[in-house]
Amino acid sequence: MSKATFFILRSLRTQLTLAIVATVTGLLLLFALLVARDQQYEIEKNAYKEVMATGALVQSTLSRMFQHRNNAFIHDVLAELLIHAQVSHALVTDNQGKILFASHPYHIGNQISDEISGITAEEIKATAASGLSHYVYDQEGMRYLGYIPISVNNPESLENKRYLLILDFALAMSWYQAAKDRLVEITGVTLIVILFGFLLWYYLQQKITLPLTLLADTILKVGRGEHIGKIAINSHNEVGTLARAVEKMTADRLLFEERLRDSEARTRQLLEALPNLIWLKDANGIYLDCNARFELFFGAKRGEIIGKSDYDFIPAALADFFRENDKEAIISGKTWVNEEQVTFASDGHQELLETLKTPFYSAAGELIGVLGISRDITEQRRTEESLRRAQKMDALGQFTGGIAHDFNNILTVILGNVELLERSAGGDEKIGKRVAAIKKSAERAATLTRQLLNFSRKQATERTVSDLNAIIIEMKELITRSVTPEVEVALQLTDPLWLTEIDAGDFQDALLNLVINARDAMHGQGKLTLETMNSTLDSNYCIHHPGVTPGDYIELAVSDNGDGISLEHQEHIFEPFFTTKVLGKGTGLGLAMVFGFIKRSGGHINCYSESGIGTTFRLYLPRTQRQTVTDAATSATITAPSSNGETILAVDDEPYLLAIAKEWLEQQGYRVVTATNGQQALQLLTSELLIDLLFTDVVMPGGLNGYELAQQAVSKKPQLKVILTSGYTNKAISHSGQSLFTTGILTKPYTSAQLIQRVRAALEQ
């Protein structure tokens, strides 16, 4: 039994013992009182009889002695009475209380009231006057006083006198003798009562005190959370029933506490596993609990946070902000949501948090405080911003592609008429210069339009397996000439470098644009570094860069130590026509073309720049598993022979462009039939005309585009040759069969020679 239990329960044992002792003592006292009372009654009764008998005997004896004047004998009789155990004094007085004879001679001649306490002259005179014996019991003095008159009948001796015999009977000896006589009886009863008390104490100890002590100790153990087994109480009485009840109660409580601990452990484990910051404050802003993620925010342990407020850990301004939000949540009774840019004390990093605060109530409905949950939305905001940029770039691509398509139609008409003017100008030099100026301007416009199309185009026109190191080395002289001599060009090429499948021409254009931008940023002097490496982008990287697919990439980093690009401008650098250069120094299409090339190649581009330090563009092009580099085909100039009178169906929704194409083809001896939409062309194809080649624009109104027209035309006439032309190749192919017509598209604006060569080549296939 524990020390605490001992001291708690010792009072119960003591009280039981004291109660039994008090009971036994009370019984003994009651018995003694009854015995004493009975003994007193017997002693008083016997003493009274004895006093009366003795008094009568002495009265008779002394009367005779007074008659004979035998004074000496009177003294002897009184002295003899002292031998009697009950008589302490025997005196003879006159009727005035003067002692005449006494058992103790020293009393003679004195007044009795002066010698013997309790005897008064009034009592003597009254007895003498009455002539009757008088007996008085003195309870305080435990004695009987006998006043016995003595009459003298001898007229010669003592005429007309009465004497008074006073006997003092002491009862103490009677008490002593009575107690002695009843000692055995009293001792036996006392032992019986004590034995009864002990047996009662032992019985109560075994049946009540010890079981209750065991129960109390068990309850204390349960209170401390200790495990207990079966209580060693086998009684079938009320105590046993109580023990079984305590067993069940303690078992139920232990089970409940175990389940509660398990539940709390699971809840705590769940809270610790969550990536969110979770905390609980009371209504005054004092922390009641928090999880491990929240500990990182304050840079303190849970035990150090509980019992404190925000003002103990963070600046007062931020603590005031948190406190106001807490109050708003409590007052409104609803969930309060806000965003907070905070710095974590554990390592100093910052996070953008979305915080939900809601009033927290007890099961009884009483307000406990505020429950807060914060989640990190930093990456979510970055992802949303990246997605917004991607959507914006896609929208810009569609917009610029549409403009380029319409503009190419116009340029084709202009360049076509310029060719016709060149032929008809003859030797007129003045007209020739003007036509040449028009042609040069139109070609510049065609170049700008081609850059717009490169930005908007989704697919590369011709992909080949390429080694970037080989292309860069081949371009080194061109790159060096593109910058000033004061710019140092450094190549850091990884060998071996993985291969990629791209449009090599587009890559060269993209690289030259990056080189020229770097040259302008360095103002003609500095260091330009081109670095290649093999890189693997994992899923974690791709989570932070939406649109990127995990895998192996060839990385090209183009770095300069120029002016750098501000963070504000970095959001717009890939947009068409956006430029930070002075007016007339740039079109704003260079980086847009680079962006378009990267997206068509299935790659990814990043810009890292700091104002005053420099800029690095990192291009990631997907690795190909093909191991052989494709040799670039050398284009041979095709000399167009004369036609054999073939019939060509030309289809375009631009009448001027259709007229130019018809005139060029007819000058070569072809028979040309025209249509302005797909439905009209189908009607001509189903007519009796023998058509050898279909030359059609891709994008046309009327619900039937060039791909669909070509597919239906070939299904009707399998031997029909097809050439597609477009100033905008971003239209999706609706059906798998249409992919046959995507190769060899004649891009607008085209020249008469390009058209005639393409037609001749198609007819001779």
Side-chain angles (χ1 to χ4, degrees):
M1 180 170 56
S2 67
K3 185 176 181 181
T5 307
F6 173 76
F7 282 110
I8 291 172
L9 298 175
R10 186 179 63 176
S11 61
L12 178 62
R13 293 183 177 179
T14 303
Q15 290 175 12
L16 179 61
T17 302
L18 291 176
I20 293 175
V21 170
T23 301
V24 171
T25 303
L27 291 174
L28 290 175
L29 291 176
L30 179 60
F31 172 73
L33 181 62
L34 293 175
V35 170
R37 185 68 177 171
D38 181 63
Q39 190 67 32
Q40 179 182 3
Y41 176 74
E42 289 292 332
I43 291 173
E44 290 177 357
K45 183 177 70 172
N46 294 333
Y48 183 73
K49 292 179 180 179
E50 187 174 352
V51 169
M52 288 181 65
T54 302
L57 178 61
V58 174
Q59 180 185 31
S60 176
T61 303
L62 291 181
S63 293
R64 291 193 301 270
M65 290 181 181
F66 274 116
Q67 289 177 358
H68 298 289
R69 297 180 67 108
N70 192 353
N71 293 339
F73 189 72
I74 292 175
H75 283 291
D76 293 338
V77 170
L78 294 179
E80 187 69 23
L81 287 175
L82 291 180
I83 301 174
H84 196 286
Q86 302 296 322
V87 178
S88 58
H89 295 89
L91 306 105
V92 176
T93 69
D94 60 12
N95 55 4
Q96 297 300 318
K98 182 180 180 181
I99 301 174
L100 301 177
F101 302 96
S103 55
H104 300 285
Y106 54 82
H107 293 307
I108 298 173
N110 298 324
Q111 286 289 328
I112 193 169
S113 58
D114 296 331
E115 298 294 326
I116 306 299
S117 62
I119 301 176
T120 64
E122 288 75 13
E123 288 286 347
I124 294 173
K125 292 177 181 180
T127 304
S130 66
L132 298 175
S133 297
H134 178 60
Y135 300 94
V136 178
Y137 177 66
D138 182 6
Q139 185 173 3
E140 182 178 354
M142 296 182 64
R143 61 183 181 171
Y144 263 111
L145 294 175
Y147 299 90
I148 307 165
I150 302 174
S151 298
V152 178
N153 297 324
N154 188 350
E156 295 181 358
S157 57
L158 294 173
E159 295 179 358
N160 299 322
K161 286 187 178 182
R162 285 188 178 179
Y163 299 94
L164 190 65
L165 172 64
I166 299 175
L167 296 177
D168 185 357
F169 280 81
L171 302 182
M173 291 301 295
S174 300
W175 276 102
Y176 173 75
Q177 187 62 38
K180 185 177 179 181
D181 294 340
R182 304 192 68 172
L183 178 61
V184 176
E185 178 184 354
I186 294 173
T187 303
V189 172
T190 301
L191 291 176
I192 291 173
V193 172
I194 292 174
L195 179 61
F196 171 77
F198 174 77
L199 293 176
L200 178 62
W201 175 84
Y202 181 79
Y203 177 81
L204 294 177
Q205 186 85 346
Q206 295 297 319
K207 298 298 183 181
I208 297 178
T209 306
L210 290 179
L212 289 179
T213 300
L214 184 58
L215 286 176
D217 189 54
T218 301
I219 293 172
L220 287 176
K221 287 183 179 179
V222 173
R224 293 193 300 268
E226 298 179 14
H227 179 72
I228 65 166
K230 183 178 178 61
I231 302 176
I233 298 177
N234 300 319
S235 302
H236 298 287
N237 53 15
E238 289 78 1
V239 176
T241 303
L242 180 60
R244 302 289 84 75
V246 170
E247 281 182 358
K248 187 176 186 309
M249 290 171 59
T250 53
D252 292 344
R253 178 179 175 180
L254 290 175
L255 179 61
F256 172 77
E257 290 178 349
E258 182 179 357
R259 291 177 177 175
L260 182 60
R261 285 193 297 269
D262 291 342
S263 177
E264 290 177 348
R266 287 194 298 270
T267 302
R268 172 56 57 183
Q269 187 177 7
L270 177 62
L271 291 178
E272 300 300 341
L274 289 175
N276 299 335
L277 285 78
I278 302 175
W279 70 93
L280 178 64
K281 301 179 187 177
D282 66 11
N284 297 318
I286 303 301
Y287 282 93
L288 302 176
D289 203 352
C290 66
N291 67 345
R293 180 87 165 93
F294 189 85
E295 291 177 351
L296 299 178
F297 175 43
F298 277 172
K301 293 299 182 181
R302 176 170 171 263
E304 300 170 342
I305 296 174
I306 294 175
K308 297 181 181 179
S309 68
D310 294 316
Y311 295 94
D312 296 311
F313 299 97
I314 57 179
L318 184 58
D320 289 339
F321 174 72
F322 289 166
R323 185 70 185 130
E324 288 301 319
N325 290 339
D326 294 345
K327 292 179 179 178
E328 290 290 345
I330 292 175
I331 294 172
S332 65
K334 299 178 181 178
T335 300
W336 189 262
V337 183
N338 62 280
E339 292 185 2
E340 305 158 348
Q341 184 78 31
V342 300
T343 301
F344 279 69
S346 59
D347 56 7
H349 81 279
Q350 290 189 336
E351 291 184 7
L352 178 63
L353 301 178
E354 181 184 60
T355 300
L356 288 79
K357 295 184 177 180
T358 185
F360 194 75
Y361 299 93
S362 66
E366 297 179 355
L367 178 67
I368 295 177
V370 178
L371 174 65
I373 303 175
S374 293
R375 67 184 184 95
D376 181 12
I377 59 172
T378 308
E379 295 303 326
Q380 176 183 330
R381 287 287 183 268
R382 291 176 182 170
T383 302
E384 290 174 353
E385 182 64 21
S386 298
L387 181 60
R388 183 189 64 79
R389 292 178 185 175
Q391 291 173 340
K392 181 175 70 173
M393 297 301 291
D394 187 62
L396 285 172
Q398 295 183 19
F399 175 71
T400 55
I403 292 176
H405 167 262
D406 293 337
F407 199 52
N408 272 335
N409 286 341
I410 297 172
L411 289 176
T412 303
V413 174
I414 293 173
L415 289 173
N417 281 285
V418 165
E419 280 195 41
L420 293 177
L421 285 174
E422 284 179 332
R423 294 175 186 177
S424 61
D428 193 329
E429 184 178 353
K430 186 176 181 179
I431 294 176
K433 289 182 178 180
R434 292 178 177 175
V435 170
I438 295 172
K439 183 177 182 182
K440 185 175 181 181
S441 297
E443 288 175 345
R444 286 186 59 195
T447 301
L448 291 175
T449 307
R450 188 179 306 108
Q451 290 177 333
L452 285 176
L453 283 174
N454 285 339
F455 170 75
S456 64
R457 195 165 67 231
K458 299 282 186 179
Q459 296 176 342
T461 55
E462 185 177 357
R463 289 189 179 185
T464 58
V465 178
S466 304
D467 181 353
L468 295 191
N469 284 350
I471 296 175
I472 292 171
I473 292 172
E474 184 180 349
M475 292 179 63
K476 183 176 181 180
E477 184 177 351
L478 177 61
I479 293 171
T480 303
R481 289 200 309 268
S482 299
V483 298
T484 62
E486 290 77 14
V487 174
E488 176 188 355
V489 179
L491 302 183
Q492 299 177 5
L493 309 180
T494 296
D495 187 25
L497 187 69
W498 294 334
L499 301 179
T500 183
E501 194 168 357
I502 57 173
D503 187 319
D506 284 353
F507 172 74
Q508 292 173 351
D509 292 342
L511 181 56
L512 280 177
N513 273 289
L514 292 174
V515 169
I516 292 170
N517 277 348
R519 178 200 65 189
D520 295 342
M522 292 184 291
H523 304 289
Q525 60 182 359
K527 183 176 182 180
L528 173 66
T529 303
L530 276 65
E531 180 183 7
T532 60
M533 64 196 76
N534 300 320
S535 297
T536 299
L537 303 183
D538 57 17
S539 58
N540 186 49
Y541 180 91
C542 297
I543 289 174
H544 300 130
H545 298 82
V548 181
T549 303
D552 294 335
Y553 290 82
I554 296 88
E555 179 181 348
L556 168 63
V558 181
S559 304
D560 65 68
N561 57 356
D563 294 335
I565 306 172
S566 67
L567 186 63
E568 177 185 0
H569 288 158
Q570 287 181 36
E571 296 185 5
H572 306 284
I573 56 176
F574 296 118
E575 298 175 7
F577 306 114
F578 178 82
T579 181
T580 58
K581 299 177 183 178
V582 297
L583 185 64
K585 289 294 184 178
T587 62
L589 291 174
L591 290 179
M593 189 201 72
V594 174
F595 181 84
F597 159 70
I598 291 296
K599 293 305 176 184
R600 288 194 306 276
S601 303
H604 171 57
I605 185 170
N606 264 339
C607 174
Y608 303 89
S609 182
E610 293 187 30
S611 297
I613 297 179
T615 302
T616 298
F617 285 95
R618 294 188 181 276
L619 285 65
Y620 297 89
L621 296 170
R623 177 187 183 183
T624 182
Q625 298 302 320
R626 297 170 63 182
Q627 299 299 319
T628 304
V629 178
T630 304
D631 294 331
T634 303
S635 299
T637 301
I638 301 175
T639 302
S642 303
S643 71
N644 296 321
E646 291 94 339
T647 300
I648 299 174
L649 174 58
V651 186
D652 203 305
D653 60 308
E654 287 288 339
Y656 295 109
L657 185 57
L658 195 61
I660 292 294
K662 180 179 180 182
E663 185 172 349
W664 282 345
L665 292 171
E666 286 179 342
Q667 286 178 354
Q668 298 299 319
Y670 293 104
R671 182 186 177 190
V672 180
V673 182
T674 61
T676 57
N677 57 65
Q679 296 296 336
Q680 187 179 359
L682 283 178
Q683 292 177 1
L684 292 173
L685 287 170
T686 56
S687 65
E688 296 180 355
L689 289 174
L690 181 60
I691 296 175
D692 300 295
L693 183 141
L694 172 65
F695 176 59
T696 178
D697 189 14
V698 173
V699 181
M700 294 184 296
L704 193 66
N705 62 37
Y707 291 119
E708 295 168 340
L709 173 61
Q711 186 179 30
Q712 294 186 32
V714 172
S715 66
K716 296 178 182 297
K717 294 185 175 183
Q719 302 302 319
L720 183 68
K721 308 298 183 180
V722 177
I723 298 176
L724 297 180
T725 182
S726 180
Y728 178 49
T729 60
N730 194 31
K731 288 295 177 182
I733 300 173
S734 301
H735 305 287
S736 59
Q738 297 173 358
S739 60
L740 299 173
F741 311 109
T742 59
T743 57
I745 291 180
L746 182 60
T747 304
K748 296 178 183 179
Y750 50 81
T751 64
S752 61
Q754 290 173 332
L755 173 61
I756 292 168
Q757 289 175 2
R758 188 65 60 83
V759 168
R760 190 70 256 161
L763 288 172
E764 291 180 356
Q765 284 183 352

